[in-house]
Amino acid sequence: MDAGASGFLVKDALPEELLAGIRAVAAGDAVVAPALTRRLLDAYVHHLPAVPGAPAASDPRITALTEREREILTVIGQGWSNTEIAARLHLAESTVKTHVTRILAKTGARDRVQAVILAYDTRLVTPM
């Protein structure tokens, strides 16, 4: 991820999943196969800075966000899709997409994968 990967799919992905992944990455989004999400996060968590209890709010990338944007970044870090965010937070999907775009712009994250990394780095999300 640090080297710039924007997607991870399993090698036995169906052709439609592969095409959807390619289209998503080409559109600037990131793709992680649901089967890999937990393993990816478990592997990454060992690289988090060892600053116990460091408040996420002290990071300038987080303080630039509104309360709603911080909430959405947190659930992005938990692996929620735009559709899930919209349904669970009672928002229109277009509103969620607008929030995600603003989160990426304000934090300097290139895509959702980097946003997830930020959510873990700043302790908005912690491993379960």
mmCIF file with all atom_site columns, all heavy atoms in Angstrom, residues 54-60 62-63 70 122 124:
data_model
loop_
_atom_site.group_PDB
_atom_site.id
_atom_site.type_symbol
_atom_site.label_atom_id
_atom_site.label_alt_id
_atom_site.label_comp_id
_atom_site.label_asym_id
_atom_site.label_entity_id
_atom_site.label_seq_id
_atom_site.pdbx_PDB_ins_code
_atom_site.Cartn_x
_atom_site.Cartn_y
_atom_site.Cartn_z
_atom_site.occupancy
_atom_site.B_iso_or_equiv
_atom_site.pdbx_formal_charge
_atom_site.auth_seq_id
_atom_site.auth_comp_id
_atom_site.auth_asym_id
_atom_site.auth_atom_id
_atom_site.pdbx_PDB_model_num
ATOM 1  N N   . ALA A 1 54  ? -2.809  7.848  22.139 1.00 0.00 ? 54  ALA A N   1
ATOM 2  C CA  . ALA A 1 54  ? -2.626  9.133  21.455 1.00 0.00 ? 54  ALA A CA  1
ATOM 3  C C   . ALA A 1 54  ? -3.950  9.551  20.835 1.00 0.00 ? 54  ALA A C   1
ATOM 4  O O   . ALA A 1 54  ? -4.532  8.812  20.062 1.00 0.00 ? 54  ALA A O   1
ATOM 5  C CB  . ALA A 1 54  ? -1.551  9.017  20.385 1.00 0.00 ? 54  ALA A CB  1
ATOM 6  N N   . PRO A 1 55  ? -4.448  10.708 21.189 1.00 0.00 ? 55  PRO A N   1
ATOM 7  C CA  . PRO A 1 55  ? -5.757  11.116 20.679 1.00 0.00 ? 55  PRO A CA  1
ATOM 8  C C   . PRO A 1 55  ? -5.710  11.423 19.191 1.00 0.00 ? 55  PRO A C   1
ATOM 9  O O   . PRO A 1 55  ? -4.815  12.103 18.715 1.00 0.00 ? 55  PRO A O   1
ATOM 10 C CB  . PRO A 1 55  ? -6.075  12.379 21.485 1.00 0.00 ? 55  PRO A CB  1
ATOM 11 C CG  . PRO A 1 55  ? -4.753  12.889 21.939 1.00 0.00 ? 55  PRO A CG  1
ATOM 12 C CD  . PRO A 1 55  ? -3.851  11.691 22.055 1.00 0.00 ? 55  PRO A CD  1
ATOM 13 N N   . ALA A 1 56  ? -6.678  10.898 18.464 1.00 0.00 ? 56  ALA A N   1
ATOM 14 C CA  . ALA A 1 56  ? -6.753  11.132 17.029 1.00 0.00 ? 56  ALA A CA  1
ATOM 15 C C   . ALA A 1 56  ? -6.941  12.609 16.724 1.00 0.00 ? 56  ALA A C   1
ATOM 16 O O   . ALA A 1 56  ? -6.486  13.108 15.709 1.00 0.00 ? 56  ALA A O   1
ATOM 17 C CB  . ALA A 1 56  ? -7.904  10.331 16.439 1.00 0.00 ? 56  ALA A CB  1
ATOM 18 N N   . ALA A 1 57  ? -7.609  13.301 17.604 1.00 0.00 ? 57  ALA A N   1
ATOM 19 C CA  . ALA A 1 57  ? -7.925  14.707 17.362 1.00 0.00 ? 57  ALA A CA  1
ATOM 20 C C   . ALA A 1 57  ? -6.680  15.583 17.258 1.00 0.00 ? 57  ALA A C   1
ATOM 21 O O   . ALA A 1 57  ? -6.752  16.692 16.754 1.00 0.00 ? 57  ALA A O   1
ATOM 22 C CB  . ALA A 1 57  ? -8.836  15.227 18.468 1.00 0.00 ? 57  ALA A CB  1
ATOM 23 N N   . SER A 1 58  ? -5.531  15.116 17.735 1.00 0.00 ? 58  SER A N   1
ATOM 24 C CA  . SER A 1 58  ? -4.324  15.938 17.691 1.00 0.00 ? 58  SER A CA  1
ATOM 25 C C   . SER A 1 58  ? -3.687  15.959 16.310 1.00 0.00 ? 58  SER A C   1
ATOM 26 O O   . SER A 1 58  ? -2.831  16.794 16.037 1.00 0.00 ? 58  SER A O   1
ATOM 27 C CB  . SER A 1 58  ? -3.310  15.459 18.734 1.00 0.00 ? 58  SER A CB  1
ATOM 28 O OG  . SER A 1 58  ? -2.848  14.167 18.388 1.00 0.00 ? 58  SER A OG  1
ATOM 29 N N   . ASP A 1 59  ? -4.078  15.056 15.428 1.00 0.00 ? 59  ASP A N   1
ATOM 30 C CA  . ASP A 1 59  ? -3.520  15.009 14.080 1.00 0.00 ? 59  ASP A CA  1
ATOM 31 C C   . ASP A 1 59  ? -4.195  16.084 13.231 1.00 0.00 ? 59  ASP A C   1
ATOM 32 O O   . ASP A 1 59  ? -5.415  16.118 13.130 1.00 0.00 ? 59  ASP A O   1
ATOM 33 C CB  . ASP A 1 59  ? -3.743  13.625 13.478 1.00 0.00 ? 59  ASP A CB  1
ATOM 34 C CG  . ASP A 1 59  ? -2.994  13.442 12.173 1.00 0.00 ? 59  ASP A CG  1
ATOM 35 O OD1 . ASP A 1 59  ? -3.270  14.211 11.221 1.00 0.00 ? 59  ASP A OD1 1
ATOM 36 O OD2 . ASP A 1 59  ? -2.146  12.543 12.100 1.00 0.00 ? 59  ASP A OD2 1
ATOM 37 N N   . PRO A 1 60  ? -3.414  16.975 12.607 1.00 0.00 ? 60  PRO A N   1
ATOM 38 C CA  . PRO A 1 60  ? -4.022  18.070 11.832 1.00 0.00 ? 60  PRO A CA  1
ATOM 39 C C   . PRO A 1 60  ? -4.882  17.589 10.674 1.00 0.00 ? 60  PRO A C   1
ATOM 40 O O   . PRO A 1 60  ? -5.814  18.274 10.270 1.00 0.00 ? 60  PRO A O   1
ATOM 41 C CB  . PRO A 1 60  ? -2.820  18.875 11.336 1.00 0.00 ? 60  PRO A CB  1
ATOM 42 C CG  . PRO A 1 60  ? -1.630  18.019 11.543 1.00 0.00 ? 60  PRO A CG  1
ATOM 43 C CD  . PRO A 1 60  ? -1.961  17.031 12.611 1.00 0.00 ? 60  PRO A CD  1
ATOM 44 N N   . ILE A 1 62  ? -6.934  15.201 10.865 1.00 0.00 ? 62  ILE A N   1
ATOM 45 C CA  . ILE A 1 62  ? -8.221  14.863 11.457 1.00 0.00 ? 62  ILE A CA  1
ATOM 46 C C   . ILE A 1 62  ? -8.939  16.126 11.944 1.00 0.00 ? 62  ILE A C   1
ATOM 47 O O   . ILE A 1 62  ? -10.138 16.268 11.779 1.00 0.00 ? 62  ILE A O   1
ATOM 48 C CB  . ILE A 1 62  ? -8.045  13.857 12.625 1.00 0.00 ? 62  ILE A CB  1
ATOM 49 C CG1 . ILE A 1 62  ? -7.400  12.575 12.119 1.00 0.00 ? 62  ILE A CG1 1
ATOM 50 C CG2 . ILE A 1 62  ? -9.370  13.568 13.312 1.00 0.00 ? 62  ILE A CG2 1
ATOM 51 C CD1 . ILE A 1 62  ? -8.147  11.866 11.012 1.00 0.00 ? 62  ILE A CD1 1
ATOM 52 N N   . THR A 1 63  ? -8.197  17.053 12.519 1.00 0.00 ? 63  THR A N   1
ATOM 53 C CA  . THR A 1 63  ? -8.833  18.275 13.025 1.00 0.00 ? 63  THR A CA  1
ATOM 54 C C   . THR A 1 63  ? -9.431  19.112 11.906 1.00 0.00 ? 63  THR A C   1
ATOM 55 O O   . THR A 1 63  ? -10.334 19.908 12.149 1.00 0.00 ? 63  THR A O   1
ATOM 56 C CB  . THR A 1 63  ? -7.848  19.128 13.852 1.00 0.00 ? 63  THR A CB  1
ATOM 57 O OG1 . THR A 1 63  ? -6.719  19.458 13.031 1.00 0.00 ? 63  THR A OG1 1
ATOM 58 C CG2 . THR A 1 63  ? -7.393  18.394 15.096 1.00 0.00 ? 63  THR A CG2 1
ATOM 59 N N   . ARG A 1 70  ? -15.465 13.064 10.105 1.00 0.00 ? 70  ARG A N   1
ATOM 60 C CA  . ARG A 1 70  ? -14.702 12.192 11.004 1.00 0.00 ? 70  ARG A CA  1
ATOM 61 C C   . ARG A 1 70  ? -15.470 10.883 11.233 1.00 0.00 ? 70  ARG A C   1
ATOM 62 O O   . ARG A 1 70  ? -14.886 9.804  11.242 1.00 0.00 ? 70  ARG A O   1
ATOM 63 C CB  . ARG A 1 70  ? -14.451 12.922 12.326 1.00 0.00 ? 70  ARG A CB  1
ATOM 64 C CG  . ARG A 1 70  ? -13.193 12.540 13.009 1.00 0.00 ? 70  ARG A CG  1
ATOM 65 C CD  . ARG A 1 70  ? -12.773 13.431 14.186 1.00 0.00 ? 70  ARG A CD  1
ATOM 66 N NE  . ARG A 1 70  ? -13.727 14.348 14.749 1.00 0.00 ? 70  ARG A NE  1
ATOM 67 C CZ  . ARG A 1 70  ? -13.767 15.661 14.489 1.00 0.00 ? 70  ARG A CZ  1
ATOM 68 N NH1 . ARG A 1 70  ? -12.898 16.209 13.682 1.00 0.00 ? 70  ARG A NH1 1
ATOM 69 N NH2 . ARG A 1 70  ? -14.674 16.439 15.045 1.00 0.00 ? 70  ARG A NH2 1
ATOM 70 N N   . THR A 1 122 ? -4.248  7.201  13.012 1.00 0.00 ? 122 THR A N   1
ATOM 71 C CA  . THR A 1 122 ? -4.682  8.223  13.958 1.00 0.00 ? 122 THR A CA  1
ATOM 72 C C   . THR A 1 122 ? -5.573  7.679  15.063 1.00 0.00 ? 122 THR A C   1
ATOM 73 O O   . THR A 1 122 ? -6.099  8.415  15.865 1.00 0.00 ? 122 THR A O   1
ATOM 74 C CB  . THR A 1 122 ? -5.436  9.347  13.220 1.00 0.00 ? 122 THR A CB  1
ATOM 75 O OG1 . THR A 1 122 ? -6.560  8.792  12.539 1.00 0.00 ? 122 THR A OG1 1
ATOM 76 C CG2 . THR A 1 122 ? -4.520  10.077 12.254 1.00 0.00 ? 122 THR A CG2 1
ATOM 77 N N   . LEU A 1 124 ? -8.489  6.442  14.956 1.00 0.00 ? 124 LEU A N   1
ATOM 78 C CA  . LEU A 1 124 ? -9.940  6.555  14.831 1.00 0.00 ? 124 LEU A CA  1
ATOM 79 C C   . LEU A 1 124 ? -10.541 5.159  14.831 1.00 0.00 ? 124 LEU A C   1
ATOM 80 O O   . LEU A 1 124 ? -11.656 4.940  15.281 1.00 0.00 ? 124 LEU A O   1
ATOM 81 C CB  . LEU A 1 124 ? -10.328 7.274  13.530 1.00 0.00 ? 124 LEU A CB  1
ATOM 82 C CG  . LEU A 1 124 ? -10.164 8.775  13.490 1.00 0.00 ? 124 LEU A CG  1
ATOM 83 C CD1 . LEU A 1 124 ? -10.506 9.298  12.096 1.00 0.00 ? 124 LEU A CD1 1
ATOM 84 C CD2 . LEU A 1 124 ? -11.037 9.442  14.529 1.00 0.00 ? 124 LEU A CD2 1
#
